[in-house]
Amino acid sequence: AKPDAPTIQLTDVGFTLHLPAPMQQALDSIAPGFHTVRTTSYRSDVSQAALAGGGGMPALFASLGDFDHDGTTDAAVEGTAPGDSALRVIVILNGAKPSALEVARFASYDADAVGIYLTGPPAGQDGAFVVVNYPDESTLYSYADGGFEATKIGS
């Protein structure tokens, strides 16, 4: 049977990420106590830029897709863990035995005015996600040969 898929839902208080228990356990194994960035923590210009990018307002702190091309929905999440001052981007690969890996780390960021967010890939780049370090640069992360490759896009 196919494993349960993660979902992002819009609620009256913003977006909420729901991870199936095995995916949450994989996340907890590499980042105990990890929590995503609250929507209210993003700079206002980040939300405006994300909306202007098309496709409606994204969750900013998460992106879903079949990153490893195995037919299951995976999740990329942005957040922090207790005792760690870095902003981390972690991918949780879904499947029979979910696994998590850190793909990016930002040692310096303003926790009250976050300017880094996640979004879906450009057209034609299925199975990938983008980390936008607004307004300076964007990085496309795509899965190949058992890991994620980072490619700078734009400046």
Side-chain angles (χ1 to χ4, degrees):
K2 202 173 198 180
D4 291 338
T7 59
I8 298 174
Q9 297 176 329
L10 179 59
T11 68
D12 57 348
V13 294
F15 288 96
T16 304
L17 173 68
H18 298 280
L19 292 174
M23 289 182 76
Q24 182 65 54
Q25 291 167 351
L27 176 60
D28 292 342
S29 73
I30 69 163
F34 184 88
H35 57 88
T36 58
V37 175
R38 292 187 322 259
T39 302
T40 56
S41 295
Y42 288 97
R43 296 181 348 211
S44 62
D45 59 335
V46 164
S47 297
Q48 294 166 357
L51 188 57
M57 184 64 174
L60 300 178
F61 62 83
S63 184
L64 302 179
D66 183 8
F67 304 134
D68 59 358
H69 310 287
D70 69 350
T72 62
T73 303
D74 308 310
V77 295
E78 169 184 292
T80 61
D84 184 358
S85 61
L87 180 69
R88 301 166 70 178
V89 177
I90 296 174
V91 174
I92 307 114
L93 298 173
N94 202 357
K97 183 173 167 76
S99 61
L101 59 144
E102 184 175 298
V103 296
R105 175 182 285 265
F106 299 88
S108 176
Y109 80 103
D110 184 342
D112 296 319
V114 178
I116 302 164
Y117 67 96
L118 304 179
T119 188
Q125 295 284 332
D126 294 338
F129 65 95
V130 174
V131 177
V132 180
N133 190 351
Y134 185 79
D136 302 324
E137 66 184 18
S138 297
T139 305
L140 174 74
Y141 287 88
S142 54
Y143 190 82
D145 300 324
F148 282 87
E149 295 178 354
T151 306
K152 299 285 184 202
I153 53 176
S155 56

